Amino acid sequence: MAKNTRKKGLIILANISIILVALIALFPIISLIFSSFIPSSLLMRNGITFSVSMDQISLGNYEFIFTQAAEYWTWYGNSMLISALTIVLSLFFSSMVGYALALYDFKGRNFFFLLVLLILMIPFEILMLPLFQLMINTQLVNTYLAVILPLIVAPIAVFFFRQYALGLPKELMDAARIDGATEYGIFFRIMLPLMGPSLAAMAILLGLMSWNNFLWPLLVLRSNDMFTLPIGLAALLTPYGNNYDILIAGSVMTIIPIVILFLFFQRYFVSGVTMGSVKG
Amino acid sequence: MNTYPNTEAKPKEVTGKSKIMGILNSRKVVPYIFVAPFLISFLVLTLYPAIQGIIMSFQSILPGQVNFIGLENYSRVFNPAFYDAFWNTTIYVVITVIVLTIIPMLLAVALNSKIIYFKAFFRASLFIPALTSTIVGGMIFRLMFSGQETSMANQFIGILGLDPVNWRFNAWSAMFLMTILAAWRWIGVNILYFLAALQTVPEELYEAADIDGASKYQKFIHITVPQLKPIIIFVSTITIINGFRMFEESFVFWEDGSPNHIGLTMVRYIYQEGIQQNDLGFGAALGVILMMIIFIISIIYLILTGSFKKEDA
């Protein structure tokens, strides 16, 4: 009996500590959401603090961001557009490449795959200065295209699609050929739909990568009206802190759509992000 | 789709057209058309900048005036700021590797045991930080760890009887801020790697140990850890490489550069010299050095994981 109660106590203790760890992990996000209802002047003076009284709570930051912060919504639009373009273009090209590397026998196939692995091992930061110079020389600086280009054929997505396509039934391709389908028809009408789950995972990875991308857009985006959300928000991080209203309410609205999507598509987020951390 | 070089003449003729279609649809040609976007992107966005980067590292680059200056950039590399950047990056890498390998491993093992009930909630909560950008996450931490007595961090250590800390302006606390931000964002993701690996550990090993009367601790050290070795190497290597690439955790705390280089990292230094000081040649030389560091680490990784041996077999 004594042993049983001790075991029960241990189980309760273990579960409580696990919940505590989870709450610690969520704590910064919860504080962010709470603080977004605190006037920005108080945030500027006190930082995020435990000593909050209920009468300080107001919707002032949100009122400001919806009525006076046109630039924030420009950044939001830019981020949405850039992420959407990245997802669509990169899914199209990367799935095509991964599919061919997995299911066709052709000369150089192993060489191409080796190149994919090689690019995965080269950190982007090493290439960014020459790439930046290339953008200047081709006058692409401060365009959406410059931001999107490095992700259009994302090696991590190619790798993922190849692994996934390796498991697809090759017999389907032969059957479709007998029925007179073209190779392109086979890919777009038969095989690509079968790659659905991998497309979802990579859409999320690519979307997150471009939504949160920082260093490269910081180099190539030069004017405020072209900024994406992370670049714009980072520009507000000045020691003078006269923009904390946009900064804090804007941060909440940057995270919330992603968290909501995550709650609906957890499985795809998990496979996408665990894949993506290989490439930062 | 039609970018395949067309050497056949007279595309207007019906027979010619179908011939072209035949070539475009042949199984010898199609894979190359599919792979073409990758090849173009590799040539333009990887190979060209890689070569150009090496060339630039031997140049002095001013608008409209590019000169070869031999090894001059490299001779300037080993200066005090570089050592600060290298030192900070190395400490950051060591701390993040320890924190981001050991803590996720322990949490994954705890989570994998049968006595835990809220697994889905726990996994989701620890994963959510990975969805925030470093900039937003860093902004939250910057406000939670701001220097005033009223900030959460200072109120918390006040309870423990410690004096308020000006977090962004001490060397030790600067490193603490950068590492805690990275740890917060990545622990949840690394837990998933360990959880996946734990599913592959054969149950019989634990049963055999039970018969031998092994304690929980002994089972962890002698069964779990050795079985997890491949994933430990994988996670730690990703963390090392991402550590050497670190930039945003530094930028978000010190947007204009940190006092006494307390937040300076390798990539931050490349950015500062190459972009802010507009010294592209010197920045490129720093990039080449960083590449060599990462290359050496990757080789060590491949040796540790035995990847070279596998190819012989």
Side-chain angles (χ1 to χ4, degrees):
Chain A
M1 279 305 268
K3 203 179 173 191
N4 242 343
T5 38
R6 231 185 88 190
K7 202 176 174 196
K8 249 185 196 161
L10 192 79
I11 292 177
I12 292 170
L13 193 75
N15 279 294
I16 290 177
S17 19
I18 284 285
I19 291 176
L20 265 179
V21 173
L23 289 180
I24 292 173
L26 287 180
F27 185 73
I29 295 193
I30 297 169
S31 337
L32 170 75
I33 295 172
F34 268 115
S35 317
S36 68
F37 297 104
I38 305 287
S40 56
S41 55
L42 278 176
L43 271 179
M44 167 67 195
R45 189 167 357 120
N46 298 334
I48 293 181
T49 174
F50 285 117
S51 28
V52 182
S53 68
M54 286 309 281
D55 55 323
Q56 290 172 344
I57 288 177
S58 83
L59 284 170
N61 295 329
Y62 289 98
E63 241 177 83
F64 185 87
I65 209 167
F66 279 109
T67 54
Q68 334 229 344
E71 58 173 2
Y72 176 80
W73 297 106
T74 311
W75 304 336
Y76 216 102
N78 290 338
S79 270
M80 299 257 267
L81 185 66
I82 286 174
S83 300
L85 282 173
T86 306
I87 292 172
V88 172
L89 291 173
S90 190
L91 282 187
F92 179 77
F93 288 118
S94 309
S95 64
M96 205 157 79
V97 177
Y99 163 80
L101 288 178
L103 295 176
Y104 282 98
D105 285 312
F106 59 102
K107 241 191 176 162
R109 166 177 139 156
N110 289 336
F111 173 71
F112 284 121
F113 184 56
L114 212 70
L115 284 185
V116 174
L117 296 179
L118 181 76
I119 305 177
L120 272 176
M121 289 191 60
I122 301 177
F124 179 78
E125 290 75 9
I126 310 281
L127 303 176
M128 71 180 183
L129 292 185
L131 267 180
F132 176 62
Q133 202 194 31
L134 181 68
M135 294 300 126
I136 295 174
N137 293 341
T138 51
Q139 301 195 335
L140 284 174
V141 169
N142 213 23
T143 62
Y144 295 129
L145 186 62
V147 183
I148 295 166
L149 265 181
L151 282 176
I152 281 191
V153 192
I156 185 75
V158 171
F159 181 82
F160 189 80
F161 285 127
R162 174 191 176 266
Q163 300 306 99
Y164 194 88
L166 279 176
L168 296 179
K170 248 183 163 174
E171 306 82 59
L172 272 182
M173 298 168 72
D174 292 326
R177 277 182 196 123
I178 292 166
D179 290 345
T182 66
E183 298 296 320
Y184 308 100
I186 294 173
F187 174 58
F188 286 109
R189 293 213 194 90
I190 300 168
M191 302 308 268
L192 197 57
L194 290 180
M195 293 166 76
S198 64
L199 288 168
M202 285 302 106
I204 282 163
L205 171 63
L206 292 162
L208 267 181
M209 271 162 78
S210 60
W211 188 257
N212 292 338
N213 200 3
F214 187 70
L215 182 50
W216 179 242
L218 180 69
L219 298 195
V220 292
L221 296 178
R222 295 274 131 188
S223 64
N224 197 297
D225 63 312
M226 291 299 289
F227 283 175
T228 57
L229 280 170
I231 311 297
L233 291 176
L236 299 179
L237 280 171
T238 62
Y240 315 106
N242 43 5
N243 296 306
Y244 275 37
D245 29 28
I246 306 181
L247 192 58
I248 194 118
S251 294
V252 173
M253 284 189 288
T254 308
I255 298 179
I256 294 307
I258 315 255
V259 173
I260 291 172
L261 278 177
F262 166 70
L263 294 177
F264 281 104
F265 303 104
Q266 275 203 41
R267 194 156 53 95
Y268 302 121
F269 268 86
V270 165
S271 47
V273 173
T274 44
M275 197 64 205
S277 79
V278 179
K279 187 66 183 167
Chain B
M1 278 308 111
N2 292 321
T3 49
Y4 181 73
N6 163 24
T7 47
E8 303 288 316
K10 299 173 194 111
K12 273 171 198 163
E13 282 178 27
V14 180
T15 48
K17 217 176 193 172
S18 64
K19 210 173 175 184
I20 293 165
M21 282 310 292
I23 292 172
L24 283 178
N25 196 31
S26 99
R27 281 160 70 179
K28 286 226 171 71
V29 175
V30 166
Y32 293 102
I33 295 176
F34 280 161
V35 173
F38 169 73
L39 191 61
I40 296 166
S41 136
F42 170 75
L43 292 175
V44 178
L45 300 172
T46 304
L47 190 63
Y48 168 77
I51 295 169
Q52 179 66 13
I54 293 170
I55 296 173
M56 281 164 71
S57 72
F58 297 105
Q59 289 174 332
S60 131
I61 299 165
L62 297 166
Q65 198 189 347
V66 176
N67 295 314
F68 269 91
I69 53 169
L71 289 168
E72 207 174 290
N73 287 326
Y74 287 96
S75 68
R76 282 165 54 209
V77 162
F78 299 97
N79 67 68
F82 174 84
Y83 288 122
D84 286 340
F86 182 73
W87 182 235
N88 285 338
T89 308
T90 308
I91 296 178
Y92 174 85
V93 165
V94 170
I95 297 176
T96 49
V97 164
I98 295 171
V99 170
L100 282 175
T101 311
I102 293 177
I103 294 180
M105 180 168 66
L106 294 177
L107 286 174
V109 169
L111 201 60
N112 204 40
S113 76
K114 293 177 188 77
I115 57 167
I116 301 293
Y117 292 109
F118 309 96
K119 291 181 186 179
F121 167 71
F122 181 81
R123 266 199 314 253
S125 321
L126 265 84
F127 191 80
I128 284 176
L131 306 175
T132 63
S133 66
T134 314
I135 298 307
V136 169
M139 193 274 299
I140 307 172
F141 277 73
R142 199 168 148 160
L143 286 173
M144 286 170 62
F145 287 87
S146 70
Q148 299 95 318
E149 274 176 50
T150 49
S151 74
M152 271 183 179
N154 281 336
Q155 283 179 325
F156 181 74
I157 64 169
I159 298 170
L160 305 174
L162 299 169
D163 289 334
V165 171
N166 204 351
W167 296 92
R168 282 168 54 230
F169 298 94
N170 293 310
W172 69 268
S173 54
M175 185 55 68
F176 173 78
L177 286 179
M178 293 189 286
T179 47
I180 198 171
L181 176 57
W184 177 68
R185 290 188 62 236
W186 287 111
I187 281 179
V189 174
N190 289 357
I191 283 178
L192 295 175
Y193 289 123
F194 283 109
L195 272 178
L198 280 171
Q199 311 311 317
T200 66
V201 180
E203 194 64 34
E204 300 89 66
L205 288 178
Y206 292 108
E207 285 162 11
D210 282 333
I211 293 167
D212 292 343
S215 70
K216 282 212 167 103
Y217 173 76
Q218 284 172 323
K219 282 191 274 185
F220 176 71
I221 292 294
H222 295 293
I223 300 175
T224 312
V225 172
Q227 288 285 320
L228 290 180
K229 193 186 153 200
I231 201 74
I232 293 173
I233 293 173
F234 171 76
V235 167
S236 52
T237 307
I238 296 178
T239 313
I240 292 170
I241 292 181
N242 285 343
F244 275 102
R245 299 171 54 200
M246 192 269 266
F247 171 80
E248 296 171 25
E249 282 85 351
S250 161
F251 190 92
V252 72
F253 287 115
W254 304 274
E255 66 285 342
D256 289 328
S258 53
N260 294 324
H261 298 154
I262 55 174
L264 189 66
T265 64
M266 297 286 285
V267 174
R268 182 81 193 253
Y269 191 45
I270 294 178
Y271 172 77
Q272 184 181 306
E273 297 300 313
I275 302 293
Q276 289 177 314
Q277 307 288 334
N278 216 356
D279 194 347
L280 281 169
F282 184 55
L286 290 169
V288 172
I289 300 277
L290 180 59
M291 182 72 234
M292 279 155 62
I293 294 172
I294 292 177
F295 181 70
I296 291 168
I297 289 166
S298 303
I299 295 285
I300 294 173
Y301 169 64
L302 290 175
I303 293 171
L304 276 178
T305 50
S307 300
F308 289 130
K309 274 184 218 152
K310 251 180 210 161
E311 278 169 8
D312 295 342

